[in-house]
Amino acid sequence: MPQLTFALPDGSTEHVEVTALYNAGYAGRQQDEVAAHIAELAELGVPAPQTTPTLYPIAHYLAQQTDEVFVQHQRTSGEAEWALVITEHEVLLTVACDHTDRALETHGVAWSKNAAPDVLGTRAWRLSDVADHLDDITLRAWVGHGESSQLIQQGTLGDLLTPAYWLGVLADRGADKPGTVLISGTISMLPGVDQFADAWRVEMTDPATADTISCSYRTVSMPEPIG
C-alpha cells in the first residue's frame, strides 16, 4: 500500500498508509453553476453524470506525493483541490492536484481519473485547527514554469462542498476509516488560459495564519509505443 508522509504545523510528522481513494466531482456549493458547467462539458463530448455531486472510487496507489506525472499525450491537465486524509488519530487537510486525461474523459470520467495520479502536498493541517474558518481558505493553481507560469484557478474552500459533507458521505458508505483519502472536486478555470501545460502548481493558504501548503509537478511525455 502507498504511504504518504505529512509535516504538521507543530513540527510533528504523520505517516498514512492509503487503503482507499475517492475523487469527488461536480462538487461546487452552488449546484446551479455546476449544472451550467455540465452543459459546457457536454458540448465537448464529456458525458453528463446521472446525479451530482459525484464520487469516484480511485485506485488507492494513485494517491502520490511526486514531482513528476507521466503522460501518454498532451491533452491532460490538473485540477486545484483540497484533500482529506483520515489517520488513526484525526483528519488532516492538505492541498491536491487531480491530474486528468481529458481525451479519455470524453469516454468516461471515472476512467480518466484512474489514468493519472492525485498529487498531494507534503504538509497538512489538522482539520480541527482550521474548521472555524474553512470557507476563507484560498485555493489557487498555476500552469507552466517560472516567470512564464499563469494563474488558471482562483477561489476559496467556500466555493466547494464542505469537508463535513464529504465525511458524512464516507460515513454512510462505511469508508470513514484510517487510510481513506478524499479529493474535493475543483473550482472553475479562468477563461483564456491554456490548461494543457507541462507543469502545475497548486497552493492553499490559510489567511488566519498566512500559512501556505503547496504541491507542484511537471508532466513527462512517455515514449511512443512499439507496435
Side-chain angles (χ1 to χ4, degrees):
M1 295 180 184
Q3 185 176 87
L4 304 178
T5 300
F6 299 99
L8 302 181
D10 62 5
S12 64
T13 301
E14 189 79 50
H15 302 282
V16 182
E17 284 195 355
V18 180
T19 57
L21 174 62
Y22 295 91
N23 279 15
Y26 307 101
R29 202 172 296 185
Q30 301 299 323
Q31 284 290 296
D32 55 341
E33 295 180 7
V34 172
H37 179 55
I38 290 172
E40 293 172 354
L41 291 176
E43 294 180 359
L44 300 175
V46 178
Q50 295 182 353
T51 185
T52 61
T54 55
L55 189 65
Y56 304 102
I58 306 297
H60 68 285
Y61 57 78
L62 291 175
Q64 298 180 15
Q65 292 168 318
T66 181
D67 58 7
E68 291 183 333
V69 170
F70 290 83
V71 299
Q72 298 189 64
H73 57 82
Q74 300 308 308
R75 290 192 63 81
T76 72
S77 62
E79 295 180 347
E81 313 207 3
W82 52 256
L84 293 179
V85 182
I86 302 178
T87 77
E88 293 284 351
H89 315 291
E90 57 202 340
V91 180
L92 304 180
L93 179 71
T94 191
V95 71
C97 194
D98 169 20
H99 203 78
T100 302
D101 187 317
R102 302 302 178 186
L104 189 56
E105 192 174 37
T106 62
H107 300 282
V109 174
W111 295 354
S112 69
K113 290 186 177 298
N114 274 281
D118 289 327
V119 180
L120 285 82
T122 57
R123 296 182 59 242
W125 302 315
R126 293 179 175 88
L127 182 61
S128 59
D129 288 343
V130 295
D132 63 348
H133 57 280
L134 276 170
D135 284 0
D136 299 328
I137 292 174
T138 62
L139 194 60
R140 296 184 179 91
W142 291 261
V143 293
H145 291 281
E147 295 182 357
S148 64
S149 66
Q150 290 183 280
L151 181 71
I152 190 170
Q153 290 178 281
Q154 179 170 262
T156 69
L157 270 60
D159 295 326
L160 297 167
L161 293 171
T162 66
Y165 173 87
W166 288 114
L167 287 171
V169 171
L170 291 176
D172 290 343
R173 296 173 61 96
D176 54 338
K177 300 175 180 177
T180 293
V181 175
L182 182 140
I183 312 295
S184 67
T186 195
I187 56 178
S188 299
M189 290 191 183
L190 299 175
V193 182
D194 184 5
Q195 65 178 295
F196 301 118
D198 58 0
W200 276 77
R201 174 167 57 93
V202 182
E203 291 185 354
M204 190 167 68
T205 300
D206 181 354
T209 61
D211 191 18
T212 294
I213 297 175
S214 65
C215 66
S216 61
Y217 59 89
R218 66 185 184 96
T219 59
V220 179
S221 297
M222 298 178 67
E224 290 293 323
I226 298 173

